Amino acid sequence: MGEMLVRTESGKCRLRMFPARKHQNLLGMIHGAVTLGLIDISMFAALRTLSSGDAGGSVTLELSTQFIGAGQPDRPLDAVVEILRETRRLLFVRGEVVQGDNLVAGFTGIVRKASEK
């Protein structure tokens, strides 16, 4: 995926990637699989930055994604995630993938947190 930056802002987690040629599909846009990868990684970034959970050993249980627009390869791509609910074992999140004001995708997901040892 390349270099990524993470930060918290207003109770949300923003994960930014910088697309390169290898992230493009045959039409020259960001490949959907790259967008899905960014989303999956962003859920664990939210677990690490917004909760007390340890991302190591945690797993994705569910991911629902709606592709809304095309990602441009010449601009950073951001996944912005918020926690809807957290239990002892589960983290429920939702978010958007954006490039500035351009909405690329929406998503919801569930992460099972690592077992306490």
Side-chain angles (χ1 to χ4, degrees), residues 32-34 65:
V34 172
T65 305

Side-chain angles (χ1 to χ4, degrees), residues 20-39:
R21 173 68 187 110
K22 66 183 176 183
H23 299 119
Q24 295 178 28
N25 62 20
L26 294 176
L27 298 175
M29 307 310 279
I30 301 300
H31 196 287
V34 172
T35 302
L36 287 171
L38 177 67
I39 290 169

Side-chain angles (χ1 to χ4, degrees), residues 1-83:
M1 294 288 289
E3 177 185 5
M4 289 190 270
L5 303 174
V6 64
R7 71 177 186 199
T8 59
E9 52 186 40
S10 304
K12 296 182 180 181
C13 174
R14 181 179 296 264
L15 180 66
R16 173 170 285 181
M17 72 166 290
F18 302 90
R21 173 68 187 110
K22 66 183 176 183
H23 299 119
Q24 295 178 28
N25 62 20
L26 294 176
L27 298 175
M29 307 310 279
I30 301 300
H31 196 287
V34 172
T35 302
L36 287 171
L38 177 67
I39 290 169
D40 192 58
I41 295 166
S42 75
M43 295 193 308
F44 292 90
L47 173 63
R48 186 173 176 95
T49 62
L50 300 176
S51 81
S52 59
D54 180 10
S58 298
V59 296
T60 302
L61 291 181
E62 181 178 295
L63 176 57
S64 175
T65 305
Q66 303 78 43
F67 293 98
I68 298 167
Q72 305 295 319
D74 58 344
R75 298 176 19 203
L77 191 64
D78 294 350
V80 183
V81 188
E82 65 180 323
I83 295 175

